[in-house]
Amino acid sequence: MRLVQLRLSHFRGYKEETSVDLDDLVVLIGKNDSGKSSLLDAMNIFLNDLVPEQDDRCVHATDQKVDITCVFDDLPSQIVIDEQYPTDLASEYLLDQSGRFVAKKVFTCTGTGKVKAATVYALAYHPTADKYDDLLTLTNAKLKQRAKDLSVDLKTVNQTINTSLRRAIWNHAADLERQQIEIELKSEAAERIWEQLRKHFPVFALFKSDRPSTDQDSEAQDPLKLAIKEAIKSQEDTLNIIAQRVKQEVQSIANKTVEKIAEMNPELARELTPRVTNKNWDSLFSVSLTGDNDIPINKRGSGTRRLVLLNFFRAQAEKDAEGKASNIIYAIEEPETSQHPHNQRLLVDAIQDLASNDGCQVILTTHTPVLARSFPQSSLRFVTQRNGWPDIHSGHDEGTLTEITASLGVLPDHGIKAFWGVEGRHDITFLKEISRILNQAGESVPDLEEAEEDGRLVFVPLGGSNLDLWVSRLKGFNRPEFYLMDRDTEPPASPKYQPIATQLSQRSNCTAWITKKREIENYIHPDVIKAECPSYSGAGHAFEDVPVLLAKALHEASDTTQTWADLQANQEKLGKKVSNAKRRLCGHFTLKMTPQYLTQIDPDNEVRLWLQTLGQALSATE
C-alpha cells in the first residue's frame, strides 16, 4: 500500500483539516516552525501505532480530539477475513469514490494528561439504505436472519462464510444508496479487515534533525532494524520451526512440573497454567558502526556522523532494489544539516535514486534554497502560514514555485559565472563525469564538478513546467545562461523543443543547444555498456532508445518471474526500470568512457563544443 495523502485536524498548529498530497518523492519546504515536522510526526503516529501526547492537541481546537487520516492506493488485491475465504475492499464497499482506502484515527485527549487509544474509521462510499448499511457489524446468524427478512435467495451461497452472505444481500438491493460516510472499524469483521490491512501498511522510518547523531539513536537504528527484519523475514519459516520445537520442549517440561506440584499440593497445581511465550526475533540483534582504529561513530565530527547515518537509508534502499519490494517510507528532516555543499548535492542524487525504487517513498523537509531548486517542481510542497494557520501548496499548482522563491530565495549569494539548464539530474551527472574525463586527459574543457563546488556554475534541472519559471527568475542575475535540450524526435520531424530553443537564443547572454542525437544517453559508447551487459542490443545508432534497451537487458538478466512484455503493460514499474537505467548509464557507465570512445560516438564533437563554450564563460573576468 502506498500513502498518497495525509489529512490533519486539531493536531498542533493544524486546527482546521489540512491535507497534503504525497508521491514517491515529496519535499516539504518552508521556514522554521511552519508545520513541516508536524506532518512527519503525524505520519509516524498513524503508521507506527503511536499515541500523541496531550500537548499535541491544537490549543485553539473546540473539542478534545485529534484526527489523523491517511489515504492509500496500490491496495492488496485480496484480504482474508472469513475462514481463508478471500474478499477485497471494493466488494466490502470500503473504498472512497476514487477507489482509495481512507483510514482515520481519532484520539481523545481527556485533559488529565492521558490520551485515549485511537478509534479507527474507514471513510468509504458505502451503502446507507436501510437494512443494507450495517452488514459489516452483523454476525453469521444475524446475516442469515437479515437475508431471510429481505427474501434473499441463498441457495447457491455458502452460508458459513460471512463475506458470501454480505455480498448476496448487497446484490439483492435495488439501490444501495451509497454515500461517503465514516464506518467505525469495531465489529468483528471490520476489525479483521483492519488487522489484515495493517500488515500491508508502509513501514515508516523517521530520521529527525534535532537528535544527537550516533549509531544507536532511534532514527539511526530504524533503517538498521528494518534490515534486520528483512533478513529475519527471509528465514522466517526456519525460525518458526525452531521456535515451535523449543516451545514444545519447554511446554512439556512445564506441564511435567505442574504434574509434580499436583502430587504435593493439588490446590496450587490447579491455579497454575503453563504458558510459553517468546520475544520477536528482531529483538535479539543490534548493530553498531566503528571507523578506522575502532573509533565509534559518535566520536566523529557532526557532519560525518550525520552523513554516515543518512547513508543507512541508501544502504537499505539498494538492498530493496535487488528485487524485494520493501514498501518503506523514509522520512528525513533537513538532510542538508551539517553537510558541505558537495555532500548536499550527493544527497540530492541519492534521495532521488531512493525514491525511484519499487516500494519506496521519500519525504524530506528543508528550508534551504539549495535543496529546493534541486528537485522536480512536482515533488515540492510549500508549507507556509496564512492567517496564522499552516497552509500547504502543491508544486503541481501554478505559482507555487514563485511563492517558494519569494519566501526562501532560489540561489545563494556568491560569484556565479554561468547557469546551465538541463532536462534532468541524470544529464547533470553525465556532463560532470564526461567533463572530468576530458579535463584529466588534458583537453581544454572545464571540470564541471569543480566549477559547481567553487560556486562559478549553477546547474538548473528544468523538467517540464519548471522551464518558464526558471528562465524568468534567471533574467535578473545578468549572467550567461546555457540550455541543453534533447532532440527526442528523429528527422525529418522537427526537434521537440525547437520553438523554445529558438526563443531562448534570441535573448541576450543566452545560448540554447539541441542534441543531434535522441538524448544524452546516446553519447555513451555501446561497447562500454556491453562490456558489463553482453545482452545489451544497442548498436550506437543516434535515435535508438538507449535507456529502454538497457532496462530490457537488465530486467531479462535478473528477473525470471516476469517477461519484458508483461512489464511493459505496467507503466509505473516500466518507468522506474527506465529511470534506474538512466541513472546507471549517466553515472556508472559514463565513468568508463574515454576521450577515444567519445570521439567515436560523437564525431561532430557536440559534447566538446558544449563544454568548451561553457568553459569560456566560466573563465571570463568581470
Side-chain angles (χ1 to χ4, degrees), residues 6 283 430 546:
L6 173 73
S283 67
F430 171 85
V546 175

Side-chain angles (χ1 to χ4, degrees), residues 161-384:
I161 304 298
N162 293 357
T163 299
S164 299
L165 288 169
R166 286 194 296 271
R167 200 166 296 180
I169 296 170
W170 277 325
N171 288 339
H172 179 75
D175 183 3
L176 290 173
E177 301 177 19
R178 292 172 65 190
Q179 297 180 30
Q180 188 82 2
I181 60 171
E182 291 186 357
I183 304 167
E184 185 175 353
L185 300 180
K186 67 176 182 178
S187 67
E188 182 179 353
E191 284 187 346
R192 286 181 180 175
I193 291 172
W194 178 247
E195 288 303 314
Q196 287 290 314
L197 288 176
R198 285 178 59 195
K199 298 177 182 178
H200 297 274
F201 280 2
V203 176
F204 189 83
L206 176 59
F207 192 108
K208 298 183 74 68
S209 64
D210 57 354
R211 301 286 180 85
S213 298
T214 74
D215 62 359
Q216 296 304 309
D217 289 337
S218 59
E219 67 267 28
Q221 284 291 305
D222 280 345
L224 292 177
K225 288 177 180 177
L226 293 172
I228 292 171
K229 287 181 179 180
E230 284 291 323
I232 289 172
K233 187 176 180 180
S234 68
Q235 302 296 323
E236 188 171 15
D237 291 341
T238 301
L239 293 173
N240 285 341
I241 292 172
I242 295 172
Q244 188 61 34
R245 288 178 180 173
V246 172
K247 289 176 71 173
Q248 288 173 352
E249 291 188 21
V250 174
Q251 187 75 53
S252 176
I253 294 172
N255 290 339
K256 289 181 180 179
T257 301
V258 174
E259 290 174 6
K260 295 301 180 183
I261 293 173
E263 294 174 1
M264 301 177 65
N265 190 334
E267 291 185 5
L268 175 60
R270 283 193 292 270
E271 296 175 3
L272 301 177
T273 302
R275 289 191 179 91
V276 180
T277 61
N278 60 286
K279 294 184 177 180
N280 293 331
W281 289 104
D282 53 17
S283 67
L284 304 179
F285 300 90
S286 62
V287 186
S288 63
L289 286 180
T290 58
D292 294 340
N293 301 317
D294 292 329
I295 299 175
I297 188 177
N298 62 339
K299 303 300 182 183
R300 306 292 294 274
S302 61
T304 299
R305 295 198 307 269
R306 188 166 176 83
L307 185 63
V308 170
L309 299 184
L310 278 170
N311 278 282
F312 281 132
F313 290 88
R314 292 188 66 195
Q316 177 66 35
E318 288 183 4
K319 185 175 185 299
D320 298 337
E322 293 174 358
K324 292 184 179 179
S326 61
N327 200 33
I328 298 174
I329 298 175
Y330 293 105
I332 310 175
E333 282 193 341
E334 301 175 16
E336 71 275 9
T337 302
S338 302
Q339 294 305 312
H340 185 277
H342 172 73
N343 286 346
Q344 290 185 19
R345 287 187 286 272
L346 292 178
L347 282 169
V348 168
D349 289 340
I351 286 164
Q352 295 192 76
D353 290 341
L354 180 58
S356 69
N357 290 328
D358 285 337
C360 286
Q361 290 178 265
V362 181
I363 303 175
L364 310 178
T365 69
T366 187
H367 47 73
T368 65
V370 175
L371 257 69
R373 73 160 188 261
S374 300
F375 291 102
Q377 183 183 345
S378 59
S379 298
L380 305 183
R381 304 291 183 270
F382 184 47
V383 185
T384 185

Side-chain angles (χ1 to χ4, degrees), residues 412-602:
D413 184 16
H414 54 36
I416 301 168
K417 294 284 187 151
F419 298 101
W420 196 350
V422 296
E423 289 195 35
R425 63 192 182 93
H426 299 308
D427 294 1
I428 297 173
T429 302
F430 171 85
L431 293 168
K432 285 182 179 179
E433 297 298 348
I434 205 69
S435 73
R436 179 188 56 79
I437 291 168
L438 296 177
N439 180 275
Q440 291 181 355
E443 297 196 23
S444 57
V445 300
D447 184 325
L448 300 187
E449 179 79 34
E450 182 181 289
E452 186 182 40
E453 284 200 17
D454 64 25
R456 290 176 294 147
L457 173 64
V458 172
F459 278 109
V460 182
L462 298 173
S465 61
N466 285 17
L467 181 59
D468 290 341
L469 287 169
W470 270 110
V471 168
S472 64
R473 294 294 298 177
L474 296 179
K475 286 181 181 179
F477 288 97
N478 194 29
R479 292 291 188 273
E481 301 168 36
F482 300 89
Y483 297 92
L484 177 62
M485 289 164 259
D486 295 336
R487 181 183 175 96
D488 290 327
T489 54
E490 186 172 359
S494 298
K496 179 179 178 180
Y497 295 110
Q498 186 62 64
I500 296 175
T502 301
Q503 180 183 356
L504 289 171
S505 296
Q506 292 172 350
R507 285 177 40 196
S508 61
N509 227 11
C510 185
T511 303
W513 296 298
I514 294 178
T515 63
K516 293 182 181 180
K517 298 176 182 288
R518 177 189 177 94
E519 55 189 340
I520 205 76
E521 289 80 11
N522 291 81
Y523 295 85
I524 300 172
H525 201 289
D527 288 353
V528 169
I529 305 171
K530 290 179 180 178
E532 290 190 18
C533 188
S535 61
Y536 172 71
S537 60
H541 298 312
F543 288 93
E544 63 190 12
D545 197 330
V546 175
V548 169
L549 292 177
L550 178 60
K552 181 176 184 290
L554 294 174
H555 174 79
E556 292 176 343
S558 62
D559 193 335
T560 59
T561 63
Q562 185 179 36
T563 67
W564 178 252
D566 290 338
L567 179 66
Q568 288 178 301
N570 188 325
Q571 289 300 308
E572 182 178 353
K573 285 192 174 181
L574 177 64
K576 289 188 175 182
K577 290 273 188 180
V578 173
S579 177
N580 285 331
K582 283 178 174 284
R583 171 174 56 85
R584 189 165 182 182
L585 283 162
C586 292
H588 177 73
F589 285 115
T590 303
L591 288 171
K592 301 180 181 301
M593 286 284 287
T594 65
Q596 293 74 25
Y597 273 138
L598 182 61
T599 299
Q600 292 173 20
I601 196 69
D602 181 22

Side-chain angles (χ1 to χ4, degrees), residues 114-133:
K114 294 183 179 180
V115 179
K116 291 184 178 180
T119 303
V120 183
Y121 300 87
L123 280 61
Y125 191 55
H126 196 76
T128 64
D130 185 37
K131 298 187 184 302
Y132 295 93
D133 58 344

